[in-house]
Amino acid sequence: MAQPPVFVLSVPETPDDPEGSQEPSPYDESEVHDSFYQLIQEQSRWAAEEGLELQQREPGPGALGALGDDHQALLGPEGVPVHSMATLRILASMPSRTIGRSRGAILSQLYNRTVRLRRRAARRPQLRDVGRSARPSLRLYDLELDPLVLEEEEKRVLLVKELQGLTVAQRDHVLRGMPLSLAEKRCLREESRTPRGKRRARQGGRGLPSCCSQLQDSCVLALHNLGLVLLSGLQALKPWRYALKRIGGQFGSSVLSYFLFLKTLLAFNALLLLPLLAFIVGVQAAFPPAPPASVPAFTGLELLTGGGRFAHTVLYYGYYSNATLSQPCASPPDGGQCPPEAGGLPYNMPLAYLFTVGVAFFITCITLVYSMSRSFGESYRVGSTSGVHAISVFCSWDYKVTQKWASRLQHDNIRTQLKELLAVWQLRRGPRSMCWRLRRVAVLGLVWLLCLGITLGCTVAVYSFSELMIKSPGSTEREGALLALPLVVCLLNLGAPYLYRGLAALERHDSPVLEVYVAICRNLILKMVTLGILCYHWLGRRVGTLRDQCWENFVGQELYRLMVMDFLFTLLDTLFGELVWRLISERTLKRRGKPEFDIAGNVLELIYGQTLTWLGVLFSPLLPAMQIIKLLLLFYVKKTSLMANCQAPRRPWKASHMSTVFISLLCFPSFLGAAIFLCYAVWQVKPSSICGPFRTLDTMYEAGKVWVRHLERAGPRVSWLPWIHRYLLENTFPIYLVSALLLAVIYLNIQVVKGQRKVICLLKEQISNEGEDKIFLINKLQSVYERKERSRPLPDPGTSLPSLYPGRPGRSS
Amino acid sequence: MGNKHTVFTHEQLEAYQDCTFFTRKEIMRLYYRYQDLAPQLVPLDYTSCPDVKVPYELIGTMPELKDNPFRQRIAQVFSEDGDGHMTLDNFLDMFSVMSEMAPRDLKAYYAFKIYDFNNDDYICAWDLEQTVTKLTRGELNAEEVSLVCEKVLDEADGDHDGRLSLEDFQNMILRAPDFLSTFHIRI
């Protein structure tokens, strides 16, 4: 290795950086290391002067007990509590003050933690919640260890012994979570590993038991390594790692949450697509039905309308057969009979279609509810509304931000947030007049009425246009005319939010977060009501008018068209909303600010698109694949537009609350609505009689009933399944019972949470009482030492010990 | 440029993997980032555990830390002697704690140490003032800063001794759902 050359570093300090002068230099040892240095300096300096203040404050023996607030009596000139050297020495060895400096304290606390773990691991092998605080509290100390003051080395040995008792995975988990430096962790790891080798060597003569333990160890190690390989493989598979890092670095966590939500939606669609591909699309593609008489030629319009050539492919419901598929038995040339093996496994297509769609929806539901509850649990805590200032100070700086202008924006945001918080606090002090309040209520009411009026107007427009489409003759024949309804819907979805934004400028809310939530609410109402009208149009009206045609294909095609139009309009909105606006504002209006990235609007677009996919899965099983392609393209388009044209939103957003809100919106109006639509279509609507897997049945659900009846006739061996079907699914009593039980469980949980909240309040009170007790005891200790000092014979001035009371030469023991 | 077979021994890589939240590939990537900071200083062969410290001035120029107002405190907390000069172990430790896989308690512990400017194991009013000044680049006036500090102490100080202990800080962090996502550096 080359000798490191001596070189002088001249790293230029940024010229407009005011911090350089304010920070203490890292070489200023005395300031950085000795925390009591200041106090001790003060003491000795003050001891050299006349201690006149002490004479004033010197209380009598009984006066201390009589004083209510003892701590007030002993404040020094700067308001810092002043204590004698002996008290300071005791204070310096208090557990709460040694945790950061004494490694012995850390080691003993970690040792106690692993002891507890091992005891718990005997009952529960998985490692969970490893203790909340790093402060050693008296409860945690093992009683037989506590009376001895153990040396740091002994504690370390104990900790190593404990680590050896854990399994490999647990030990690694504990090591990673330790607040020690990496070098120390490596030493601990080394020490906790080597004795095992020694142990193995010592037991080498014993034969079989050592073989077993060796095998066990090597198995565990092999699994551990496999787990690591899988983890690194998964991380390599994680797409867009660098892109997400750049977005987070330039725009912060709030804009990043949109892209993370997009990734989540991709995962949901992939989860939905897999069973459909495996059980429906793949099988039907392997056994194509007889082609119809006339197949139209492929024109380019099919990509937009989804009809024409596409209508006779796996894309739509109508393609699927209603019979049991089996291997076609090609008659052998010599006229013999088909061998029995050529029959293959019969595949009941209607049943498979119904069950696969049902199971895919069920899996999606479970995954959604699970991720929503997990996200909710992480972001909402009991008592989380208080502590806003502390959270703004300690948790609002986003460490991911890496660009200078982005970090400047963060500084501005935090400053604005703190100023707003202070303003709210000051505002709350002033009383609001009745007149002002009435005016606010009137303005809010008016704006909400206008917005609901716009929603109603859009709804009526969509309804009347859909009725027009039904009534006008030949609208279903001309392919181009079919695009009219999706066009109208998309235009309304594009235009109404701008109107809402204009009206919201009148409202002038205090809190910017509330503004955003109100905007989300309004847009959501519009989109959901529009979709509701369209669902009624399809299932209520179109079924009637298309009685002798394949109405399911038509609904599938409508949804396809809506999706494609939605995608095109999103592209258009990105182009005009962001690119052109930036060009206009830079050239014409001469404003330097780029347009903000509208997180709420974009997320609602994603949720709307996903709702369309879920609505259409029954009628067009390949719709999730289209949604995946659409999301992939959208990621790159949005990312490019974001980097080129936008800036981060000025208002502070809470990233974790936002992802919870997004997932909840995805679950509640969106998925629930799609599930209701699906249930209605399966249970109540008569399928068309000329196409699809359910063409001979009254409802789609009948396919299941037919199969159950078939099973009943099959024999007594599978009689439990029809029994379950008759008494548990068709009967309403068990459903009522289960719902009542669930309600009872939910009520109990609510009561438990209420009780926990009360307990938290009581504990907080107890902590503050303990704090006061602590201060009281410290003052008592101080007074005891003071008395002892006073009664001690004075040392001669030649000694180096600074005395507290140099100004009283007349006192003697 | 050495490949991973000559930079670290197999045992060293295993040890790093077990003691941090990183996989082998990420550790090598971090090593090369560390090496890029001071190519003449950092040896290409770590099998003999050389004692090399990259000075703080170079650490502070990393793009991930360059615009962070707390970069000096971060370097001081994770360095061995508290002076900001970091060895490779300190460097790996720092990014391991700031990665997204570190648990909340570990991050809260180190965040407490970062915001404790005078290293007295308590966040007192002076520490809070320093934090707020750094956060706002000195653009709030003194009265506003002291008002904010007062409100923070009101909200977070559980035992009412006028400063935040590690327990108070951790209790407050538990109520902050954003902490895990903001106290995170992607590398």
Side-chain angles (χ1 to χ4, degrees):
Chain A
M1 293 304 122
Q3 284 286 341
V6 174
F7 56 92
V8 175
L9 290 162
S10 57
V11 178
E13 190 71 62
T14 49
D16 51 346
D17 199 349
E19 305 164 344
S21 48
Q22 290 174 9
E23 286 167 349
S25 158
Y27 298 109
D28 218 0
E29 287 260 338
S30 56
E31 276 189 23
V32 171
H33 284 295
D34 298 318
S35 55
F36 290 113
Y37 186 73
Q38 253 181 334
L39 277 171
I40 294 172
Q41 283 291 81
E42 270 177 286
Q43 274 292 320
S44 37
R45 203 184 347 115
W46 182 63
E49 305 167 19
E50 296 281 320
L52 286 174
E53 287 90 351
L54 260 185
Q55 273 180 336
Q56 276 178 335
R57 273 183 283 117
E58 185 193 27
L64 256 179
L67 274 173
D69 299 285
D70 293 317
H71 49 278
Q72 282 181 4
L74 284 168
L75 289 179
E78 291 92 14
V80 175
V82 166
H83 303 299
S84 68
M85 294 289 280
T87 320
L88 283 175
R89 234 176 279 131
I90 291 187
L91 287 180
S93 48
M94 267 200 321
S96 63
R97 294 197 189 192
T98 54
I99 183 63
R101 286 150 64 73
S102 154
R103 284 178 54 245
I106 299 179
L107 289 173
S108 75
Q109 190 264 332
L110 290 168
Y111 165 67
N112 290 322
R113 215 191 261 176
T114 51
V115 163
R116 265 191 313 134
L117 265 178
R118 237 187 0 133
R119 288 196 198 130
R120 220 192 297 165
R123 305 178 246 124
R124 200 169 51 154
Q126 281 292 79
L127 205 64
R128 291 276 173 261
D129 241 354
V130 189
R132 296 216 135 179
S133 132
R135 177 189 170 159
S137 78
L138 291 173
R139 289 179 271 123
L140 294 180
Y141 273 116
D142 221 359
L143 284 175
E144 54 260 35
L145 293 174
D146 206 32
L148 317 161
V149 175
L150 292 176
E151 293 293 334
E152 185 183 299
E153 198 46 50
E154 292 179 46
K155 288 179 189 168
R156 187 198 169 82
V157 163
L158 280 169
L159 181 61
V160 166
K161 219 168 55 159
E162 274 312 309
L163 281 175
Q164 284 167 7
L166 299 172
T167 66
V168 173
Q170 277 180 334
R171 190 203 66 203
D172 286 343
H173 187 100
V174 169
L175 268 179
R176 284 190 192 121
M178 278 187 188
L180 292 171
S181 74
L182 189 57
E184 287 173 8
K185 283 193 214 182
R186 285 167 66 193
C187 291
L188 280 172
R189 179 181 172 272
E190 270 311 305
E191 287 175 26
S192 65
R193 266 159 74 98
T194 41
R196 201 182 287 151
K198 285 191 209 153
R199 214 190 321 142
R200 229 182 276 158
R202 255 185 281 128
Q203 288 177 356
R206 275 215 253 150
L208 199 60
S210 76
C211 247
C212 280
S213 63
Q214 248 183 336
L215 197 65
Q216 194 185 25
D217 283 339
S218 52
C219 274
V220 165
L221 272 171
L223 275 173
H224 183 61
N225 286 330
L226 183 69
L228 280 173
V229 164
L230 275 176
L231 190 66
S232 59
L234 266 175
Q235 282 184 351
L237 273 179
K238 256 192 217 173
W240 305 323
R241 185 186 63 87
Y242 185 62
L244 289 175
K245 180 182 172 183
R246 273 182 71 201
I247 294 174
Q250 288 188 14
F251 298 95
S253 309
S254 51
V255 172
L256 191 63
S257 67
Y258 167 78
F259 290 92
L260 290 174
F261 185 64
L262 209 154
K263 253 178 71 170
T264 316
L265 281 182
L266 264 178
F268 274 119
N269 279 308
L271 190 68
L272 188 62
L273 186 66
L274 280 173
L276 291 172
L277 268 183
F279 294 107
I280 305 183
V281 179
V283 173
Q284 189 64 64
F287 298 97
S294 63
V295 177
F298 179 80
T299 67
L301 204 57
E302 268 93 8
L303 286 173
L304 275 182
T305 62
R309 181 75 184 85
F310 280 176
H312 304 282
T313 57
V314 254
L315 192 55
Y316 294 111
Y317 168 99
Y319 188 75
Y320 295 88
S321 89
N322 71 328
T324 304
L325 303 170
S326 48
Q327 195 82 13
C329 172
S331 54
D334 54 359
Q337 287 226 334
C338 294
E341 303 86 59
L345 199 63
Y347 192 83
N348 192 344
M349 195 62 200
L351 197 67
Y353 199 94
L354 186 69
F355 272 6
T356 312
V357 170
V359 165
F361 256 72
F362 187 69
I363 293 176
T364 312
C365 180
I366 300 278
T367 320
L368 256 181
V369 169
Y370 172 72
S371 58
M372 185 178 81
S373 63
R374 201 181 52 164
S375 176
F376 200 75
E378 272 177 14
S379 65
Y380 287 95
R381 309 250 162 189
V382 177
S384 67
T385 47
S386 61
V388 181
H389 291 83
I391 289 174
S392 313
V393 168
F394 290 119
C395 305
S396 54
W397 180 267
D398 195 352
Y399 282 66
K400 284 196 277 281
V401 167
T402 55
Q403 304 260 338
K404 193 160 191 74
W405 57 267
S407 81
R408 195 160 304 192
L409 195 68
Q410 264 212 70
H411 281 295
D412 289 338
N413 277 348
I414 293 176
R415 187 200 46 177
T416 315
Q417 193 181 2
L418 286 173
K419 279 208 165 135
E420 277 176 3
L421 281 173
L422 287 175
V424 162
W425 185 70
Q426 278 161 358
L427 214 66
R428 231 179 263 156
R429 288 196 282 182
R432 301 290 179 85
S433 65
M434 198 61 183
C435 178
W436 184 91
R437 255 191 269 217
L438 276 176
R439 218 165 8 138
R440 276 279 309 147
V441 167
V443 165
L444 278 174
L446 183 68
V447 171
W448 265 102
L449 260 163
L450 282 173
C451 289
L452 287 175
I454 293 176
T455 312
L456 196 67
C458 294
T459 315
V460 166
V462 170
Y463 179 72
S464 42
F465 198 80
S466 68
E467 288 293 311
L468 189 71
M469 293 291 291
I470 288 186
K471 289 202 186 74
S472 72
S475 64
T476 42
E477 273 106 59
R478 276 181 297 128
E479 294 289 326
L482 289 169
L483 288 173
L485 185 58
L487 203 69
V488 165
V489 171
C490 288
L491 271 174
L492 287 173
N493 274 334
L494 193 67
Y498 286 108
L499 285 173
Y500 290 151
R501 221 189 285 183
L503 282 173
L506 289 174
E507 278 183 335
R508 259 175 279 141
H509 282 281
D510 281 336
S511 139
V513 184
L514 188 63
E515 252 186 70
V516 172
Y517 283 147
V518 163
I520 289 182
C521 206
R522 289 180 185 147
N523 284 329
L524 196 67
I525 293 177
L526 172 73
K527 289 187 154 74
M528 291 301 138
V529 169
T530 316
L531 276 179
I533 294 284
L534 283 174
C535 289
Y536 164 73
H537 168 72
W538 293 323
L539 286 187
R541 305 281 284 123
R542 279 290 178 185
V543 175
T545 54
L546 291 174
R547 207 173 290 279
D548 49 352
Q549 294 169 41
C550 198
W551 65 266
E552 291 98 346
N553 264 15
F554 183 79
V555 174
Q557 285 164 11
E558 284 269 275
L559 279 160
Y560 177 97
R561 284 189 282 267
L562 265 175
M563 272 185 69
V564 170
M565 279 281 125
D566 184 50
F567 179 58
L568 289 175
F569 270 81
T570 312
L571 287 180
L572 221 67
D573 190 25
T574 311
L575 201 66
F576 282 98
E578 293 172 6
L579 175 65
V580 175
W581 184 249
R582 174 181 73 104
L583 291 173
I584 289 179
S585 74
E586 270 183 6
R587 307 247 175 93
T588 328
L589 304 171
K590 299 274 187 289
R591 257 189 287 151
R592 299 300 303 280
K594 296 181 176 178
E596 281 182 18
F597 186 77
D598 182 16
I599 302 174
N602 281 307
V603 165
L604 279 179
E605 279 293 328
L606 285 179
I607 294 179
Y608 178 72
Q610 190 59 41
T611 317
L612 290 176
T613 311
W614 281 330
L615 284 174
V617 158
L618 184 64
F619 305 111
S620 170
L622 278 182
L623 220 52
M626 278 190 48
Q627 173 77 349
I628 288 178
I629 297 173
K630 177 178 150 191
L631 285 173
L632 284 172
L633 287 173
L634 206 60
F635 182 90
Y636 290 106
V637 166
K638 285 284 177 188
K639 182 176 84 87
T640 320
S641 167
L642 175 76
M643 297 290 192
N645 302 328
C646 295
Q647 63 172 345
R650 278 178 226 278
R651 282 5 158 342
W653 274 82
K654 291 195 190 151
S656 63
H657 276 196
M658 269 164 33
S659 38
T660 311
V661 167
F662 297 160
I663 284 274
S664 324
L665 286 178
L666 192 66
C667 191
F668 278 121
S670 167
F671 183 78
L672 199 66
I676 292 175
F677 177 78
L678 181 81
C679 290
Y680 184 78
V682 164
W683 256 293
Q684 298 286 76
V685 184
K686 183 171 175 357
S688 66
S689 50
I690 61 162
C691 65
F694 305 105
R695 47 189 101 148
T696 51
L697 304 167
D698 273 335
T699 65
M700 293 190 200
Y701 186 66
E702 259 197 47
K705 282 200 220 171
V706 163
W707 180 63
V708 167
R709 265 183 252 135
H710 183 74
L711 276 182
E712 266 180 353
R713 277 177 278 151
R717 269 184 304 155
V718 277
S719 61
W720 53 272
L721 202 57
W723 185 88
I724 289 178
H725 182 259
R726 191 177 306 146
Y727 291 108
L728 291 181
L729 289 179
E730 302 245 289
N731 208 355
T732 51
F733 177 69
I735 297 176
Y736 284 145
L737 191 67
V738 167
S739 317
L741 277 173
L742 275 174
L743 280 174
V745 167
I746 291 173
Y747 178 73
L748 280 171
N749 269 322
I750 291 177
Q751 293 302 317
V752 164
V753 166
K754 266 196 204 162
Q756 282 176 345
R757 217 175 268 154
K758 271 195 212 133
V759 168
I760 288 175
C761 286
L762 287 172
L763 285 174
K764 269 196 212 167
E765 261 185 57
Q766 196 177 347
I767 290 176
S768 82
N769 285 340
E770 297 285 329
E772 285 180 18
D773 280 349
K774 185 173 82 173
I775 292 176
F776 177 77
L777 287 171
I778 290 174
N779 293 332
K780 277 279 185 198
L781 194 69
Q782 168 66 11
S783 69
V784 164
Y785 275 114
E786 268 183 19
R787 237 174 283 148
K788 223 201 278 186
E789 277 288 319
R790 261 178 272 138
S791 56
R792 215 175 44 166
L794 283 177
D796 57 61
T799 61
S800 53
L801 268 177
S803 158
L804 269 180
Y805 308 92
R808 297 198 192 94
R811 278 187 173 265
S812 57
S813 57
Chain B
M1 272 301 211
N3 58 22
K4 69 176 173 206
H5 298 294
T6 57
V7 178
F8 296 111
T9 62
H10 182 72
E11 283 77 28
Q12 277 177 322
L13 265 181
E14 288 260 339
Y16 280 137
Q17 224 174 337
D18 284 341
C19 298
T20 63
F21 294 99
F22 293 127
T23 61
R24 221 165 261 168
K25 219 167 67 163
E26 289 169 328
I27 290 170
M28 290 313 299
R29 195 156 44 90
L30 279 167
Y31 165 74
Y32 288 129
R33 288 295 303 271
Y34 184 70
Q35 221 250 345
D36 280 339
L37 288 174
Q40 297 99 335
L41 203 57
V42 175
L44 284 166
D45 184 359
Y46 256 82
T47 50
S48 50
C49 304
D51 183 21
V52 171
K53 283 192 184 182
V54 171
Y56 162 69
E57 287 78 9
L58 291 175
I59 305 268
T61 59
M62 283 185 73
E64 284 86 0
L65 291 177
K66 166 166 74 71
D67 294 304
N68 193 323
F70 301 108
R71 61 184 177 280
Q72 192 169 21
R73 280 301 300 162
I74 296 174
Q76 283 172 1
V77 162
F78 285 101
S79 61
E80 271 180 11
D81 303 322
D83 51 8
H85 307 315
M86 303 177 82
T87 64
L88 179 64
D89 279 356
N90 302 140
F91 190 79
L92 286 173
D93 204 12
M94 173 169 75
F95 283 108
S96 169
V97 168
M98 304 295 286
S99 74
E100 61 192 344
M101 288 151 301
R104 193 182 276 258
D105 292 332
L106 189 63
K107 288 196 185 212
Y109 176 81
Y110 280 104
F112 181 77
K113 290 182 84 168
I114 287 173
Y115 294 127
D116 179 17
F117 282 76
N118 53 10
N119 282 332
D120 63 349
D121 308 322
Y122 280 96
I123 295 183
C124 58
W126 185 78
D127 294 327
L128 280 175
E129 278 172 26
Q130 291 289 307
T131 309
V132 173
T133 314
K134 278 194 194 290
L135 272 179
T136 57
R137 291 172 92 238
E139 284 166 14
L140 285 181
N141 61 37
E143 187 199 320
E144 288 171 335
V145 168
S146 67
L147 204 58
V148 170
C149 297
E150 195 188 294
K151 297 214 70 60
V152 170
L153 283 173
D154 272 341
E155 285 167 2
D157 190 9
D159 53 3
H160 299 292
D161 59 352
R163 43 203 165 175
L164 299 180
S165 66
L166 180 58
E167 257 193 347
D168 294 331
F169 188 77
Q170 281 182 322
N171 285 335
M172 191 260 306
I173 289 294
L174 280 178
R175 282 187 267 142
D178 297 316
F179 177 69
L180 278 180
S181 64
T182 55
F183 199 72
H184 166 220
I185 294 184
R186 265 182 207 263
I187 181 107

